[in-house]
Amino acid sequence: MRKLFITLIIIACASFSISAQLQTGILLGGGTWGSMDAKARPTTIENFKEHDVNFTSSFMLGYRFRLHHYDMPAFLDLDAMVGLKNWKSQYGSRYNYGDNSGNDNQVIYGSSVNSNYVYTAIGATANYYVYNKLSVGAGIEPTIWVAKMGEDNSKTFDMPLVAKIGYDFKFLELGLTYKHSFINSVKTPYLDSGRFNDLQLSVWVPF
């Protein structure tokens, strides 16, 4: 499946570049908006009656190749990037003191882990100008986790679907990109599975 997607990207780029104009530049982005769809292991549920897994932030730095079509208000973006995704997990129990002290039904977390995942990715999106310099696009972003700090993780590949909207100010472009993963790339001693969904604000400065 991975080879098929990469092959399709190469074919699309080759066919698009026949009638295209190339533009390149630095890409910078990140955000604190996102979520983690995670499933706890049965042993985690047994030992910790309460568990909370939250996405905290993301950051990426890359280089963008943009191919403009001559005859259509359309373009293809190819992004080579490195980045960082952060998430936090907490595990504990709920206690009911029953003494009217105000602490009834209180959750006490006995374990808290901050995890940082470093990745490299190649993103490809097809885009179209819908009004003036306002564009919308969609594509995929094959991702490889190259370093995992925090909870152990045995999986290294992800491929989120990407939807984005951008506005071109000529000297720079502001973009908003949503990345939705369908691959459970997170697996830890506490979690059976997990995947990232996040929203990033980006700035692209073409040369």
Side-chain angles (χ1 to χ4, degrees):
M1 183 65 71
R2 303 177 197 176
K3 292 182 179 179
L4 175 60
F5 276 115
I6 294 174
T7 301
L8 290 175
I9 291 174
I10 295 174
I11 293 174
C13 293
S15 61
F16 199 96
S17 61
I18 293 175
S19 59
Q21 179 183 5
L22 179 64
Q23 192 178 20
T24 66
I26 296 293
L27 181 66
L28 179 68
T32 58
W33 311 281
S35 65
M36 274 195 68
D37 294 328
K39 180 181 179 182
R41 289 181 178 273
T43 52
T44 303
I45 298 175
E46 180 180 353
N47 296 330
F48 302 100
K49 302 304 180 183
E50 299 291 331
H51 56 276
D52 189 25
V53 181
N54 293 299
F55 175 89
T56 53
S57 64
S58 65
F59 173 80
M60 66 86 178
L61 176 65
Y63 198 82
R64 170 169 289 169
F65 299 84
R66 173 166 292 180
L67 297 172
H68 291 274
H69 200 283
Y70 281 123
D71 304 320
M72 297 173 56
F75 57 91
L76 181 68
D77 279 344
L78 299 176
D79 303 333
M81 68 195 84
V82 293
L84 181 72
K85 289 184 187 290
N86 306 307
W87 58 284
K88 182 178 182 180
S89 54
Q90 298 182 95
Y91 308 96
S93 298
R94 185 177 294 275
Y95 296 93
N96 190 344
Y97 294 94
D99 58 359
N100 297 320
S101 62
N103 294 321
D104 291 2
N105 214 25
Q106 181 181 10
V107 176
I108 298 179
Y109 289 112
S111 177
S112 179
V113 182
N114 291 300
S115 299
N116 305 296
Y117 287 3
V118 180
Y119 69 90
T120 180
I122 298 177
T125 58
N127 306 268
Y128 192 85
Y129 287 110
V130 292
Y131 178 75
N132 198 6
K133 294 298 182 179
L134 179 68
S135 65
V136 295
I140 58 174
E141 189 176 289
T143 300
I144 296 177
W145 305 113
V146 295
K148 312 172 198 74
M149 295 159 281
E151 299 187 54
D152 294 336
N153 187 305
S154 60
K155 297 186 178 181
T156 60
F157 183 75
D158 195 7
M159 190 186 298
L161 294 181
V162 175
K164 70 175 185 175
I165 183 171
Y167 195 89
D168 187 358
F169 292 93
K170 291 186 178 181
F171 59 93
L172 63 81
E173 180 184 89
L174 292 180
L176 194 62
T177 304
Y178 177 70
K179 303 178 182 181
H180 187 90
S181 178
F182 293 96
I183 298 177
N184 288 307
S185 59
V186 176
K187 188 173 184 180
T188 78
Y190 293 111
L191 301 177
D192 259 343
S193 63
R195 55 187 176 87
F196 296 100
N197 304 312
D198 64 294
L199 188 68
Q200 291 187 349
L201 180 66
S202 66
V203 177
W204 179 52
V205 183
F207 298 139

